[in-house]
């Protein structure tokens, strides 16, 4: 109402002082709105209600701004044994005995947890656009109210959510922390991407995970399958579902990552230590800086004398440092230290192709210096031996990855443009084919391992891969399909835990945006677990079940407060 008045007043050309005089009375600085109790009969004894008293408080809402609410309370004529009746209209705007309206709580919560805004950004925008001045502590308090109300509404809508999930769902489990701090465990519906339950955990032990998994199943029913990493705690946490016949699947990405770690960890750590000790990268960065004067002002003498250098020489140094500029795949799918050492070995051929003769004096000197830097690795015998060991394991790793058909687009935060979206029936058949290929690959490995063991090489990369395949064979395949009421396949359980990985990646990115820090250990400790549920508001199908639309969220919070129920508190480490 106040907002509409201000809009019309601005169109009519009223000055702020004129609007203030129209809205406020003598001696008041705020507009006053009366909220009489609407009821005419006592809800307990049905007798007539009469005015009992008035109660005034300052209210701040996002739509109407700041105003003075005068609530006219009524009481039954029979006496004090019946409750006092207040205004339902005011109760829909603001919680009893509170100052800040539901729509302001929702606006602050969405700005904080969906838009990733900092507290000062929220405060400045509210004061600039709405004339609402909040302290940083008040913003934090409103965020807490938002999370508590969202969790209560989420739990209140569990029956509705279960109806929406009748086509089946898969339970994806994952936990995150930052340098061992702020442990958070989330149960995600892998088919829809909804966070179903989140909880704080001091460590990834089964005694902390299992109660949360059981609570999720109690609320939302039994899933078609569970998808987890290779941790023993996760296996124990879903053991009760496995006993009920629910497929217990491990993520193919985590499986390959564990195999790669077993094959490369020691050799790759040695290579990393060698490269750091050689300081080749540090000196290459210095060379990049030394080449800039020769590119910008070749008439002035630089480190390599007077004269110009071609941009191709600077590009050659940049290629040595950064490769082709693409983002490295996560370890062990990408080995950037190995790739750097191999680029240094290719320097001579690249230099002849990129900076052909004739060359200027600065180019000759710079190339000699560049060859000296790369030669540090050639002169270190450990580099060649370490690269040879990595190469042997890499061939086996890439062979296993090819059998599992896990492309770069299937990795967490991988290039989605490289991912092919298959029809559900086609994807189900593809998984069956991959399972058959893995069985055939295991047969070949057994024959190969038998041959190498006779030669005294029982610890070969093939033997390590076969050990992992035998250990997790029962958990790699058997992905069930989602079917509609007519039995038509409409989806297949994902074979990776990317849904949960992306969930945590996005959540941490938002948290870094809010707090402005890279190290999130302390912030994860202070952020309530209920913040994970706020990510569900990005899913239109979830919002439709929860409250119809985001615009209806304040009304849903108000309806929740008007009904008696359990109260929840936020848990921080």
């Amino acid at each position: 109402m106040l907002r509409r008045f201000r809009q019309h007043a601005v169109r009519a050309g009223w000055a702020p002082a004129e609007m203030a005089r129209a809205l406020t009375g003598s001696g008041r600085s705020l507009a006053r709105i009366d909220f009489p109790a609407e009821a005419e009969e006592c809800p307990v004894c049905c007798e007539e209600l009469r005015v009992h008293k008035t109660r005034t408080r300052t209210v701040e809402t996002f739509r109407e701004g700041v105003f003075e609410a005068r609530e006219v309370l009524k009481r039954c004529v029979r006496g004090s044994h019946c409750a006092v009746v207040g205004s339902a209209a005011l109760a829909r705007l603001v919680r009893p005995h509170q100052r800040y309206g539901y729509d302001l709580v929702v606006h602050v919560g969405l700005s904080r947890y969906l838009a990733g805004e900092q507290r000062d950004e929220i405060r400045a925008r509210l004061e600039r656009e709405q004339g609402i001045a909040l302290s940083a502590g008040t913003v934090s308090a409103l965020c807490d109210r938002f999370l508590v109300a969202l969790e209560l509404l989420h739990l209140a809508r569990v029956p509705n959510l279960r109806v929406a999930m009748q086509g089946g769902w898969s339970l994806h489990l994952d936990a995150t922390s930052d340098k061992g701090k702020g442990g958070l465990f989330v149960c995600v519906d892998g088919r829809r991407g909804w966070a179903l339950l989140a909880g704080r955990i001091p460590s990834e032990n089964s005694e902390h995970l299992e109660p949360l998994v059981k609570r999720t199943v109690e609320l939302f029913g039994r899933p078609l399958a569970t998808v987890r990493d290779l941790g023993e705690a996760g296996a124990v946490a879903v053991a009760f579902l496995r006993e009920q016949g629910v497929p217990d699947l491990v993520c193919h990405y985590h499986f390959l990552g564990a195999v790669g770690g077993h094959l490369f960890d020691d050799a790759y750590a040695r290579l990393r230590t060698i490269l750091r000790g050689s300081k080749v990268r540090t000196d290459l960065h210095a060379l990049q800086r030394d080449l800039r004067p020769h590119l910008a002002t070749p008439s002035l003498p630089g480190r390599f004398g007077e004269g110009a250098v071609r941009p191709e020489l600077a590009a050659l140094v940049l290629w040595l440092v950064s490769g082709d500029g693409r983002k490295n795949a996560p370890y062990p799918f990408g080995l950037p230290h190995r790739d750097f050492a191999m680029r240094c070995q290719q320097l001579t051929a690249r230099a002849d192709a990129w900076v052909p003769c004739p060359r200027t004096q600065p180019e000759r000197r710079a190339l000699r210096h560049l060859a000296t830097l790369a030669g540090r690795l050639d002169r270190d015998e450990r580099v060649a031996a370490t690269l040879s060991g990595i190469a042997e394991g890499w061939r086996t790793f890439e062979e296993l990855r090819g059998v599992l058909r896990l492309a770069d687009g299937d990795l967490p935060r991988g290039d989605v443009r490289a991912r092919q979206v298959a029809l559900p029936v086609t994807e189900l058949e593809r998984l069956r084919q991959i399972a058959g290929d893995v069985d055939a690959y295991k047969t070949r490995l057994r024959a190969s391992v038998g041959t190498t063991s006779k030669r005294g090489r029982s610890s070969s990369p093939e033997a390590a891969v076969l050990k992992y395949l035998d250990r997790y064979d029962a958990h790699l395949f058997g992905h069930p399909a989602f079917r509609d009421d007519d039995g038509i396949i409409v989806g297949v359980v994902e074979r990776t835990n990317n849904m949960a990985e992306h969930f945590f990646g996005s959540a941490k990115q938002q948290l870094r945006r809010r707090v402005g820090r890279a190290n999130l250990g302390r912030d994860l400790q202070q952020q309530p677990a209920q913040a994970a549920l706020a990510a569900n508001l990005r899913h239109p199908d979830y919002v439709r079940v929860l409250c119809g639309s985001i615009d209806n969220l304040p009304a849903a919070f108000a309806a929740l407060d008007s009904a008696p129920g359990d109260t929840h508190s936020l848990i921080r480490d």
Side-chain angles (χ1 to χ4, degrees), residues 23-103:
L23 288 171
T24 60
S26 176
R28 295 199 308 270
S29 60
L30 294 176
R32 174 181 290 176
I33 302 178
D34 288 335
F35 290 89
E38 296 86 354
E40 298 293 338
E41 294 182 349
C42 176
V44 177
C45 62
C46 298
E47 290 289 340
E48 179 186 358
L49 291 177
R50 293 181 181 176
V51 174
H52 174 57
K53 64 177 181 178
T54 61
R55 185 166 53 193
T56 304
R57 55 176 159 148
T58 301
V59 173
E60 300 185 37
T61 67
F62 180 73
R63 286 182 57 85
E64 309 296 347
V66 186
F67 61 92
E68 186 179 88
R70 184 169 63 178
E71 185 178 16
V72 180
L73 304 175
K74 295 182 180 179
R75 170 172 280 181
C76 176
V77 295
R78 296 184 61 181
S80 60
H81 63 278
C82 294
V84 176
V85 179
S87 169
L90 183 59
R92 288 192 294 268
L93 286 179
V94 61
R95 192 175 184 178
H97 311 294
Q98 293 285 340
R99 177 187 183 102
Y100 303 104
Y102 292 107
D103 61 346

Side-chain angles (χ1 to χ4, degrees), residues 102-394:
Y102 292 107
D103 61 346
L104 185 59
V105 172
V106 170
H107 177 81
V108 170
L110 295 179
S111 300
R112 187 75 166 154
Y113 295 109
L114 288 193
E117 293 184 3
Q118 299 178 357
R119 293 186 300 178
D120 288 342
E121 292 176 324
I122 298 173
R123 294 172 58 205
R125 183 165 45 77
L126 283 175
E127 187 165 10
R128 182 178 64 252
E129 298 178 2
Q130 305 297 126
I132 298 176
L134 302 178
S135 66
T138 299
V139 172
S140 296
L142 293 180
C143 288
D144 288 351
R145 282 185 55 188
F146 174 79
L147 292 180
V148 170
L150 183 61
E151 183 186 29
L152 289 172
L153 186 60
H154 175 78
L155 295 175
R157 295 292 189 269
V158 163
N160 308 78
L161 293 171
R162 290 189 65 157
V163 171
M165 296 163 61
Q166 280 184 347
W169 64 286
S170 57
L171 176 57
H172 289 241
L173 315 172
D174 203 5
T176 191
S177 63
D178 193 85
K179 293 181 173 57
K181 298 180 180 179
L184 176 66
F185 181 70
V186 175
C187 298
V188 179
D189 175 4
R191 183 180 180 188
R192 299 165 183 85
W194 301 349
L196 302 178
L197 195 72
R200 283 260 162 246
I201 54 172
S203 64
E204 286 193 54
N205 291 332
S206 58
E207 61 185 17
H208 305 308
L209 305 187
E210 188 174 4
L212 294 173
V213 175
K214 288 185 175 180
R215 175 62 173 162
T216 303
V217 175
E218 176 187 345
L219 290 173
F220 298 97
R222 194 167 66 180
L224 289 183
T226 61
V227 182
R228 57 178 177 85
D229 59 20
L230 276 63
E232 187 63 27
V236 175
V238 300
F240 73 99
L241 288 171
R242 190 165 56 245
E243 294 171 358
Q244 298 175 20
V246 176
D248 174 22
L249 305 172
V250 297
C251 168
H252 287 192
Y253 160 72
H254 284 94
F255 174 76
L256 271 172
V259 173
H262 181 87
L263 295 176
F264 309 135
D265 275 355
D266 294 338
Y268 197 64
R270 284 197 303 273
L271 179 62
R272 181 170 56 247
T273 302
I274 293 170
L275 292 178
R276 287 177 177 173
S278 70
K279 298 184 178 180
V280 174
R281 276 201 181 96
T282 302
D283 291 340
L284 284 174
H285 287 299
L287 177 58
Q288 285 180 304
R289 293 191 295 270
D290 293 336
L291 288 175
R292 289 170 188 164
H294 293 280
L295 293 168
T297 55
S299 59
L300 298 177
R303 175 182 175 182
F304 302 107
E306 185 176 342
V309 300
R310 279 169 279 184
E312 288 79 2
L313 178 55
L316 177 64
V317 180
L318 180 62
W319 171 78
L320 271 179
V321 174
S322 306
D324 58 7
R326 296 180 183 178
K327 182 180 178 181
N328 292 318
Y331 176 83
F333 298 88
L335 304 177
H337 297 305
R338 178 208 60 173
D339 297 340
F340 172 74
M342 294 177 66
R343 288 196 298 272
C344 289
Q345 294 176 343
Q346 304 168 18
L347 173 61
T348 302
R350 290 279 181 152
D352 292 340
W354 288 23
V355 192
C357 295
R359 296 166 177 164
T360 64
Q361 183 184 39
E363 287 177 342
R364 290 194 298 271
R365 291 178 176 177
L367 284 172
R368 282 198 299 270
H369 179 64
L370 188 58
T372 301
L373 296 180
R376 293 179 191 173
L377 302 183
D378 292 335
R379 292 188 294 272
D380 194 328
E381 297 178 354
R382 298 174 299 169
V383 174
T386 304
L387 288 177
S388 176
I390 293 176
E392 185 179 7
W394 182 258

Side-chain angles (χ1 to χ4, degrees), residues 369-438:
H369 179 64
L370 188 58
T372 301
L373 296 180
R376 293 179 191 173
L377 302 183
D378 292 335
R379 292 188 294 272
D380 194 328
E381 297 178 354
R382 298 174 299 169
V383 174
T386 304
L387 288 177
S388 176
I390 293 176
E392 185 179 7
W394 182 258
R395 286 191 295 269
T396 306
F397 178 76
E398 283 292 280
E399 189 177 48
L400 174 61
R401 185 179 176 184
V403 172
L404 287 175
R405 306 184 196 179
L406 200 70
D408 288 343
D410 298 318
L411 304 181
R413 295 172 294 281
D415 188 354
V416 295
R417 295 172 298 180
R419 188 180 306 160
Q420 293 183 349
V421 180
L423 294 173
V425 176
T426 306
E427 178 64 15
L428 187 62
E429 180 59 30
R430 189 174 78 102
L431 288 173
R432 290 170 180 164
Q433 292 176 1
I434 295 174
D437 293 344
V438 169

